[in-house]
Amino acid sequence: VPEVSHIRIFGRQCFSLVPKEKRDGKWDAKGVECRMLGYSLTSKGYRLLKQDGSILLSRDVSFN
């Protein structure tokens, strides 16, 4: 039986974790709001559309 627990709805709102190395200070946001575009073809993760229009590849995603 194939594992399908990682499959999500396209266009769904989600939040991607911002790593500690990319945060400037203690009070910066730990996540960034995105929309799910699909799945990465080259790695194990999701393709996400950030609010500024850029595309992000991430494994650490939390879906609403």
Coordinates of all heavy atoms in Angstrom, one line a residue:
V1 N 0.9 -1.2 0.0 CA 0.0 0.0 0.0 C 0.9 1.2 0.0 O 1.7 1.4 0.9 CB -0.9 0.0 1.3 CG1 -1.7 1.3 1.3 CG2 -1.8 -1.2 1.3
P2 N 0.7 2.1 -1.0 CA 1.5 3.3 -1.0 C 1.2 4.3 0.1 O 0.1 4.4 0.5 CB 1.2 4.0 -2.4 CG -0.1 3.4 -2.8 CD -0.2 2.0 -2.1
E3 N 2.2 5.1 0.5 CA 2.0 6.1 1.6 C 1.6 7.4 1.0 O 2.3 7.9 0.1 CB 3.4 6.3 2.3 CG 3.3 7.3 3.4 CD 2.4 6.9 4.6 OE1 2.3 5.7 4.9 OE2 1.8 7.8 5.1
V4 N 0.4 7.9 1.3 CA -0.1 9.1 0.8 C -0.4 10.2 1.8 O -1.1 11.1 1.5 CB -1.4 8.8 -0.1 CG1 -1.1 8.0 -1.3 CG2 -2.4 8.1 0.8
S5 N 0.2 10.1 3.0 CA -0.1 11.1 4.0 C 0.4 12.4 3.7 O 0.0 13.4 4.3 CB 0.4 10.5 5.4 OG 1.8 10.4 5.3
H6 N 1.4 12.5 2.8 CA 2.0 13.8 2.5 C 1.3 14.6 1.5 O 1.6 15.8 1.2 CB 3.5 13.6 2.0 CG 3.5 12.9 0.7 ND1 3.4 11.6 0.6 CD2 3.7 13.4 -0.5 CE1 3.5 11.2 -0.7 NE2 3.7 12.3 -1.4
I7 N 0.3 14.0 0.8 CA -0.5 14.7 -0.3 C -1.4 15.7 0.3 O -2.2 15.5 1.3 CB -1.2 13.6 -1.1 CG1 -0.2 12.7 -1.8 CG2 -2.1 14.3 -2.1 CD1 -0.8 11.7 -2.7
R8 N -1.4 16.9 -0.3 CA -2.2 18.1 0.2 C -2.9 18.7 -1.0 O -2.6 18.4 -2.2 CB -1.3 19.1 0.8 CG -0.5 18.7 2.0 CD -1.4 18.4 3.2 NE -0.5 18.1 4.3 CZ -0.7 17.2 5.2 NH1 -1.8 16.4 5.0 NH2 0.1 16.9 6.2
I9 N -3.9 19.6 -0.7 CA -4.6 20.2 -1.8 C -3.8 21.4 -2.3 O -3.3 22.2 -1.6 CB -6.0 20.8 -1.2 CG1 -6.8 19.6 -0.6 CG2 -6.7 21.6 -2.2 CD1 -8.0 20.0 0.2
F10 N -3.8 21.5 -3.7 CA -3.1 22.6 -4.3 C -3.8 23.9 -4.0 O -5.0 24.0 -4.0 CB -3.0 22.4 -5.8 CG -2.2 21.2 -6.2 CD1 -2.8 20.0 -6.6 CD2 -0.8 21.2 -6.2 CE1 -2.1 18.9 -7.0 CE2 -0.1 20.1 -6.5 CZ -0.7 19.0 -6.9
G11 N -3.0 25.0 -3.8 CA -3.5 26.3 -3.5 C -3.9 26.5 -2.1 O -4.3 27.6 -1.7
R12 N -3.6 25.6 -1.2 CA -4.0 25.7 0.2 C -3.0 26.6 0.9 O -1.8 26.6 0.6 CB -3.9 24.3 0.8 CG -4.5 24.2 2.2 CD -4.7 22.8 2.6 NE -5.4 22.8 3.9 CZ -5.7 21.7 4.5 NH1 -5.3 20.6 4.1 NH2 -6.3 21.8 5.7
Q13 N -3.5 27.3 1.9 CA -2.7 28.2 2.7 C -1.8 27.4 3.6 O -2.3 26.4 4.2 CB -3.6 29.1 3.5 CG -2.8 30.1 4.4 CD -3.6 30.8 5.4 OE1 -4.8 30.5 5.6 NE2 -3.1 31.9 5.9
C14 N -0.6 27.8 3.8 CA 0.4 27.1 4.6 C 1.4 28.0 5.2 O 1.5 29.2 4.8 CB 1.0 25.9 3.9 SG 1.9 26.4 2.5
F15 N 2.2 27.6 6.1 CA 3.3 28.3 6.7 C 4.6 27.5 6.6 O 4.6 26.4 7.0 CB 3.0 28.7 8.1 CG 1.8 29.6 8.3 CD1 0.5 29.2 8.4 CD2 2.1 31.0 8.3 CE1 -0.5 30.0 8.5 CE2 1.0 31.9 8.4 CZ -0.3 31.4 8.5
S16 N 5.6 28.1 6.1 CA 6.9 27.5 6.0 C 7.8 28.0 7.0 O 7.9 29.2 7.3 CB 7.5 27.8 4.6 OG 8.8 27.2 4.5
L17 N 8.6 27.1 7.7 CA 9.5 27.5 8.7 C 10.7 28.2 8.1 O 11.3 27.8 7.1 CB 10.0 26.2 9.4 CG 11.0 26.4 10.6 CD1 10.3 27.1 11.8 CD2 11.6 25.1 11.0
V18 N 11.1 29.3 8.8 CA 12.3 30.1 8.4 C 13.4 29.6 9.4 O 13.3 29.7 10.6 CB 12.0 31.6 8.6 CG1 13.3 32.4 8.3 CG2 10.9 32.1 7.8
P19 N 14.5 29.0 8.8 CA 15.6 28.5 9.7 C 16.2 29.6 10.5 O 16.2 30.8 10.2 CB 16.6 28.0 8.7 CG 15.9 27.9 7.4 CD 14.8 28.9 7.4
K20 N 16.8 29.2 11.7 CA 17.4 30.2 12.6 C 18.5 31.0 11.9 O 18.7 32.2 12.2 CB 18.0 29.4 13.8 CG 17.0 28.9 14.7 CD 17.7 28.2 15.9 CE 16.7 27.6 16.9 NZ 17.4 27.0 18.0
E21 N 19.2 30.4 11.0 CA 20.3 31.1 10.3 C 19.8 32.3 9.4 O 20.5 33.2 9.2 CB 21.1 30.1 9.4 CG 21.7 29.0 10.1 CD 20.8 27.8 10.4 OE1 19.8 27.6 9.6 OE2 21.0 27.1 11.4
K22 N 18.6 32.2 9.0 CA 18.0 33.2 8.1 C 17.2 34.3 8.9 O 16.8 35.3 8.3 CB 17.1 32.6 7.0 CG 18.0 31.8 6.0 CD 17.2 31.4 4.8 CE 18.1 30.7 3.9 NZ 17.3 30.3 2.7
R23 N 17.0 34.1 10.2 CA 16.3 35.1 11.0 C 17.3 36.1 11.5 O 18.4 35.7 11.9 CB 15.6 34.4 12.2 CG 14.3 33.7 11.7 CD 13.6 33.1 12.9 NE 13.6 31.7 12.8 CZ 13.6 30.8 13.8 NH1 13.5 31.2 15.0 NH2 13.6 29.5 13.6
D24 N 16.9 37.3 11.6 CA 17.9 38.4 12.1 C 17.9 38.5 13.6 O 19.0 38.6 14.1 CB 17.5 39.7 11.5 CG 17.7 39.8 10.0 OD1 18.6 39.1 9.5 OD2 16.9 40.5 9.3
G25 N 16.8 38.4 14.2 CA 16.8 38.6 15.7 C 15.8 37.6 16.4 O 15.2 36.8 15.7
K26 N 15.8 37.8 17.6 CA 15.0 36.9 18.5 C 13.5 37.0 18.2 O 12.7 36.1 18.3 CB 15.2 37.2 19.9 CG 14.5 36.4 20.9 CD 14.9 36.7 22.3 CE 14.2 35.8 23.3 NZ 14.6 36.1 24.7
W27 N 13.0 38.2 17.8 CA 11.6 38.5 17.7 C 11.1 38.4 16.2 O 10.0 38.7 15.9 CB 11.3 39.9 18.2 CG 11.6 40.0 19.7 CD1 12.7 40.6 20.2 CD2 11.0 39.3 20.8 NE1 12.7 40.5 21.6 CE2 11.6 39.6 21.9 CE3 9.8 38.5 20.8 CZ2 11.2 39.2 23.2 CZ3 9.5 38.0 22.1 CH2 10.1 38.3 23.2
D28 N 12.0 38.0 15.3 CA 11.5 37.8 13.9 C 10.6 36.6 13.8 O 10.6 35.7 14.6 CB 12.7 37.6 13.0 CG 13.5 38.8 12.8 OD1 13.0 39.9 13.1 OD2 14.6 38.7 12.3
A29 N 9.8 36.7 12.8 CA 8.8 35.6 12.5 C 9.5 34.3 12.3 O 10.5 34.2 11.6 CB 7.9 36.0 11.4
K30 N 8.9 33.2 12.8 CA 9.5 31.9 12.6 C 9.0 31.2 11.4 O 9.5 30.2 10.9 CB 9.3 31.0 13.8 CG 10.0 31.4 15.0 CD 9.8 30.5 16.2 CE 10.5 31.0 17.4 NZ 10.3 30.2 18.6
G31 N 7.9 31.8 10.8 CA 7.3 31.2 9.6 C 6.9 32.3 8.7 O 6.7 33.4 9.0
V32 N 6.7 31.9 7.4 CA 6.2 32.8 6.4 C 5.0 32.2 5.7 O 4.9 31.0 5.5 CB 7.4 33.1 5.3 CG1 7.8 31.8 4.6 CG2 6.9 34.1 4.4
E33 N 4.0 33.0 5.5 CA 2.7 32.5 4.9 C 2.9 32.3 3.4 O 3.5 33.1 2.7 CB 1.6 33.6 5.1 CG 0.3 33.1 4.6 CD -0.8 34.1 4.9 OE1 -0.6 35.0 5.7 OE2 -1.9 33.9 4.4
C34 N 2.4 31.2 2.9 CA 2.6 30.7 1.5 C 1.3 30.1 1.0 O 0.4 29.8 1.8 CB 3.7 29.7 1.4 SG 5.3 30.3 2.0
R35 N 1.3 29.8 -0.3 CA 0.3 28.9 -0.9 C 1.0 27.7 -1.6 O 2.1 27.9 -2.2 CB -0.5 29.7 -2.0 CG -1.3 30.8 -1.5 CD -2.6 30.3 -1.0 NE -3.4 31.4 -0.4 CZ -4.5 31.1 0.2 NH1 -5.0 29.9 0.3 NH2 -5.1 32.1 0.8
M36 N 0.4 26.6 -1.5 CA 1.1 25.4 -2.0 C 0.9 25.3 -3.6 O -0.3 25.4 -4.0 CB 0.5 24.1 -1.4 CG 1.2 22.9 -1.9 SD 0.4 21.4 -1.4 CE 1.0 20.3 -2.6
L37 N 2.0 25.2 -4.3 CA 1.9 25.1 -5.7 C 2.0 23.6 -6.2 O 1.4 23.3 -7.2 CB 3.1 25.9 -6.4 CG 3.0 27.4 -6.3 CD1 4.3 28.0 -7.0 CD2 1.8 27.9 -7.0
G38 N 2.7 22.8 -5.5 CA 2.9 21.5 -5.9 C 4.0 20.8 -5.1 O 4.4 21.2 -4.0
Y39 N 4.6 19.8 -5.7 CA 5.7 19.0 -5.1 C 7.0 19.2 -5.8 O 7.0 19.4 -7.1 CB 5.3 17.5 -5.1 CG 4.0 17.3 -4.4 CD1 2.8 17.2 -5.1 CD2 3.9 17.2 -3.0 CE1 1.6 17.0 -4.5 CE2 2.7 17.0 -2.4 CZ 1.6 16.9 -3.1 OH 0.4 16.7 -2.5
S40 N 8.1 19.2 -5.1 CA 9.4 19.4 -5.7 C 9.7 18.1 -6.6 O 9.5 17.0 -6.1 CB 10.4 19.6 -4.7 OG 11.7 19.6 -5.2
L41 N 10.3 18.4 -7.7 CA 10.7 17.2 -8.6 C 12.1 16.7 -8.3 O 12.5 15.6 -8.6 CB 10.7 17.7 -10.1 CG 9.3 18.1 -10.6 CD1 9.4 18.6 -12.0 CD2 8.3 16.9 -10.5
T42 N 12.9 17.6 -7.6 CA 14.3 17.3 -7.4 C 14.6 16.8 -5.9 O 15.7 16.3 -5.7 CB 15.2 18.5 -7.7 OG1 14.8 19.6 -6.9 CG2 15.1 18.8 -9.2
S43 N 13.7 17.1 -5.0 CA 13.9 16.8 -3.6 C 12.6 16.5 -2.9 O 11.6 16.6 -3.5 CB 14.6 18.0 -2.9 OG 13.8 19.1 -2.9
K44 N 12.7 16.0 -1.7 CA 11.5 15.7 -0.9 C 11.0 16.9 -0.3 O 11.6 17.4 0.7 CB 11.9 14.6 0.1 CG 10.8 14.0 0.8 CD 11.3 13.0 1.9 CE 10.3 11.9 2.0 NZ 10.8 11.0 3.0
G45 N 10.0 17.6 -0.8 CA 9.5 18.8 -0.3 C 8.3 19.3 -1.1 O 7.9 18.7 -2.1
Y46 N 7.9 20.5 -0.7 CA 6.8 21.2 -1.4 C 7.3 22.4 -2.1 O 8.2 23.1 -1.6 CB 5.7 21.6 -0.3 CG 5.1 20.5 0.4 CD1 5.6 20.2 1.7 CD2 4.1 19.7 -0.1 CE1 5.0 19.1 2.5 CE2 3.6 18.6 0.6 CZ 4.0 18.4 1.9 OH 3.5 17.3 2.6
R47 N 6.6 22.8 -3.2 CA 6.9 24.0 -3.9 C 5.8 25.0 -3.4 O 4.6 24.7 -3.5 CB 6.7 23.9 -5.4 CG 7.8 23.1 -6.0 CD 7.8 23.0 -7.5 NE 8.1 24.4 -8.0 CZ 7.7 24.8 -9.2 NH1 7.0 24.0 -10.0 NH2 8.0 26.0 -9.5
L48 N 6.3 26.1 -2.9 CA 5.4 27.1 -2.2 C 5.5 28.5 -2.9 O 6.6 28.9 -3.3 CB 5.7 27.2 -0.7 CG 5.8 25.9 0.0 CD1 6.3 26.2 1.4 CD2 4.4 25.3 0.1
L49 N 4.4 29.2 -3.0 CA 4.4 30.6 -3.5 C 4.3 31.5 -2.3 O 3.3 31.5 -1.6 CB 3.2 30.8 -4.5 CG 3.1 32.1 -5.0 CD1 4.2 32.5 -6.0 CD2 1.7 32.3 -5.8
K50 N 5.3 32.3 -2.1 CA 5.3 33.3 -1.0 C 4.5 34.5 -1.5 O 4.2 34.7 -2.6 CB 6.8 33.8 -0.7 CG 7.6 32.7 -0.1 CD 9.0 32.9 0.2 CE 9.4 34.3 0.5 NZ 10.8 34.5 0.8
Q51 N 4.1 35.4 -0.5 CA 3.3 36.5 -0.8 C 3.9 37.5 -1.7 O 3.2 38.3 -2.4 CB 2.8 37.2 0.5 CG 1.8 36.3 1.3 CD 1.3 37.0 2.5 OE1 1.9 37.9 3.0 NE2 0.2 36.5 3.0
D52 N 5.3 37.6 -1.7 CA 6.0 38.5 -2.6 C 6.1 38.0 -4.0 O 6.7 38.6 -4.9 CB 7.3 38.9 -2.0 CG 8.3 37.7 -1.9 OD1 7.9 36.6 -2.3 OD2 9.4 37.9 -1.4
G53 N 5.6 36.8 -4.3 CA 5.6 36.2 -5.7 C 6.7 35.3 -5.9 O 6.8 34.7 -7.0
S54 N 7.7 35.1 -5.0 CA 8.8 34.2 -5.2 C 8.4 32.7 -4.9 O 7.5 32.5 -4.1 CB 10.0 34.6 -4.4 OG 9.7 34.6 -3.0
I55 N 9.1 31.8 -5.4 CA 8.8 30.4 -5.2 C 9.9 29.8 -4.2 O 11.0 30.1 -4.3 CB 8.8 29.6 -6.5 CG1 7.7 30.0 -7.4 CG2 8.7 28.1 -6.2 CD1 7.6 29.4 -8.7
L56 N 9.4 29.0 -3.3 CA 10.2 28.5 -2.2 C 10.1 27.0 -2.2 O 9.0 26.5 -2.4 CB 9.7 29.1 -0.9 CG 10.2 28.6 0.4 CD1 11.7 28.9 0.6 CD2 9.4 29.1 1.6
L57 N 11.1 26.2 -2.0 CA 11.1 24.8 -1.8 C 11.3 24.5 -0.3 O 12.3 25.0 0.3 CB 12.2 24.1 -2.6 CG 12.0 24.2 -4.1 CD1 13.2 23.5 -4.8 CD2 10.7 23.5 -4.6
S58 N 10.5 23.8 0.3 CA 10.6 23.5 1.8 C 10.0 22.2 2.2 O 9.0 21.8 1.6 CB 9.9 24.7 2.6 OG 10.0 24.4 3.9
R59 N 10.6 21.6 3.2 CA 10.1 20.3 3.8 C 9.3 20.6 5.0 O 8.4 19.9 5.4 CB 11.2 19.4 4.1 CG 11.9 18.8 2.9 CD 12.9 17.8 3.3 NE 12.4 16.7 4.1 CZ 13.2 15.7 4.5 NH1 14.4 15.7 4.2 NH2 12.6 14.8 5.2
D60 N 9.7 21.8 5.7 CA 9.1 22.1 7.0 C 7.9 23.0 6.8 O 8.1 24.3 6.8 CB 10.2 22.8 7.9 CG 11.4 21.9 8.1 OD1 11.2 20.7 8.4 OD2 12.5 22.4 8.0
V61 N 6.8 22.4 6.5 CA 5.6 23.2 6.2 C 4.4 22.7 7.1 O 4.3 21.5 7.4 CB 5.2 22.9 4.7 CG1 3.9 23.7 4.4 CG2 6.3 23.3 3.8
S62 N 3.6 23.7 7.5 CA 2.5 23.5 8.4 C 1.2 23.9 7.6 O 1.2 25.1 7.2 CB 2.7 24.3 9.6 OG 2.0 24.2 10.6
F63 N 0.3 23.1 7.4 CA -0.9 23.4 6.6 C -2.1 23.7 7.6 O -2.2 23.1 8.6 CB -1.3 22.2 5.7 CG -0.3 22.0 4.6 CD1 0.7 21.1 4.7 CD2 -0.5 22.7 3.4 CE1 1.6 20.9 3.7 CE2 0.4 22.5 2.4 CZ 1.5 21.6 2.5
N64 N -2.9 24.7 7.1 CA -4.1 25.0 7.9 C -5.3 24.0 7.5 O -5.3 23.6 6.5 CB -4.6 26.4 7.7 CG -3.7 27.4 8.4 OD1 -2.9 27.0 9.3 ND2 -3.8 28.6 8.1

